[in-house]
Amino acid sequence: MDTALAPRRLEHRARVTACDEVARRTFRLELHCPELAAAVRPGQFVMIEPRAGGDPFLRRAFSVGDALPGPSGAPDRIVLWIAVIGKGTRALAERRPGETASLLGPLGRPYDLGDPAKPLLLVGGGIGTAPFPLAARARRAAGAAGGLRALFGFRDAGAACVVREMEDLGCPVTLCTEDGSAGAKGRVTDHIDPLLAPGTSVLACGPNPMFQALDRHLAGRGVPCQVSTEEPMACGYGLCFGCVVPVKQGDSVRWAKSCIEGPTFPIEAIAWDRVRSIH
Ligand SMILES: Cc1cc2nc3c(=O)[nH]c(=O)nc-3n(C[C@H](O)[C@H](O)[C@H](O)COP(=O)(O)OP(=O)(O)OC[C@H]3O[C@@H](n4cnc5c(N)ncnc54)[C@H](O)[C@@H]3O)c2cc1C
């Protein structure tokens, strides 16, 4: 049987191997979960129970940030980067090594990494930088000859995360902050143009206002760009309709479940003027 079509287990019990604060209110959670680590592709996500025992009850969605090789060389751990904003993320930040956690995954449509011979630019805003070490790792494994770079934007130096991991994977990072406290001053759209060598494709993840600005900035320039949306969702696999995004259909829109049609979409597919912004 084609292994890509073989049925896969969706629920996993993972063991916490590390949970550390790596930037302001931002935690790096590492989980031992070999089956998931081997299956996940860049841009996919997991739904994780915040605390054993179900308080809060609903799982929360997180991009799988990386899949780390174990002693055999095969991936055996996944890494999540978690910004603490409410009850669920606070509970996850309190996870300790040795605890177990129930996860569903890998979920969602991965990024299309495209032709490895062509340049790829990874654009992350804030905690939207999380999915990119896995993308850099996959790109390296594909023996990519086209250049790989990242452009990461944060509010300030204290919020910066995932930069060292990208550099360790051989991906140079252009850093910018809104207040100029680290890297260049400004937002990603202020600094993207010099990084768009001919033939470059863009993968982006961040808040909706960043996507809206990118959409305006790249419009009509022939730069393929995929975004990974982060609409709050309750189930993660197509049942609850919590995560719908407006997708263009002729002159109107239809509401697509971002958990199964996304979370990655071509930037031009989304009707950004209809997107709600809760950031
Ligand atoms: C596919 C996907 C991937 C994600 N990847 C990551 C990731 O890698 N790292 C990360 O830190 N977060 C990620 N998120 C967002 C994360 O799921 C939410 O921050 C988390 O569910 C909030 O849970 P909470 O209980 O702490 O907050 P809640 O108590 O549920 O909410 C607190 C406040 O945050 C708002 N909020 C809740 N969810 C979101 C959201 N998705 N976007 C903006 N505001 C929200 C609520 O409206 C509320 O005002 C991702 C979301 C999706 C859908």
Side-chain angles (χ1 to χ4, degrees), residues 60-63 81-83 85-86 88-89 127 130 230-231 233 279:
R60 300 299 198 258
F62 296 91
S63 304
W81 274 275
I82 296 175
I85 62 162
T89 46
I127 197 63
E230 296 196 341
E231 291 305 310
M233 52 180 71
H279 292 272

Side-chain angles (χ1 to χ4, degrees), residues 141-157:
L148 177 70
R149 299 194 64 92
L151 170 61
F152 284 180
F154 300 95
R155 201 158 281 172
D156 56 40

Side-chain angles (χ1 to χ4, degrees), residues 25-27 43-47 50 56 58-65 79-92 107 127-131 205 208 228-233 243 258-259 262-263 277-279:
R25 292 193 297 280
T26 304
F27 288 75
Q44 290 190 299
F45 66 98
V46 291
M47 298 291 292
L58 293 174
R59 295 170 193 268
R60 300 299 198 258
F62 296 91
S63 304
V64 176
V79 180
L80 311 180
W81 274 275
I82 296 175
V84 173
I85 62 162
K87 193 171 177 179
T89 46
R90 224 171 8 254
L92 283 165
L107 298 166
I127 197 63
T129 52
C205 186
N208 285 335
S228 181
T229 58
E230 296 196 341
E231 291 305 310
M233 52 180 71
C243 65
S258 62
C259 60
S277 194
I278 51 176
H279 292 272

Side-chain angles (χ1 to χ4, degrees), residues 161-211:
C161 57
V162 195
V163 175
R164 183 180 48 77
E165 286 81 359
M166 296 299 289
E167 289 173 345
D168 288 350
L169 287 163
C171 176
V173 178
T174 299
L175 180 63
C176 60
T177 50
E178 289 183 27
D179 67 354
S181 54
K185 187 169 176 170
R187 295 181 164 161
V188 291
T189 39
D190 298 321
H191 300 288
I192 193 170
D193 286 350
L195 303 174
L196 294 175
T200 299
S201 298
V202 173
L203 307 182
C205 186
N208 285 335
M210 183 188 99
F211 292 150

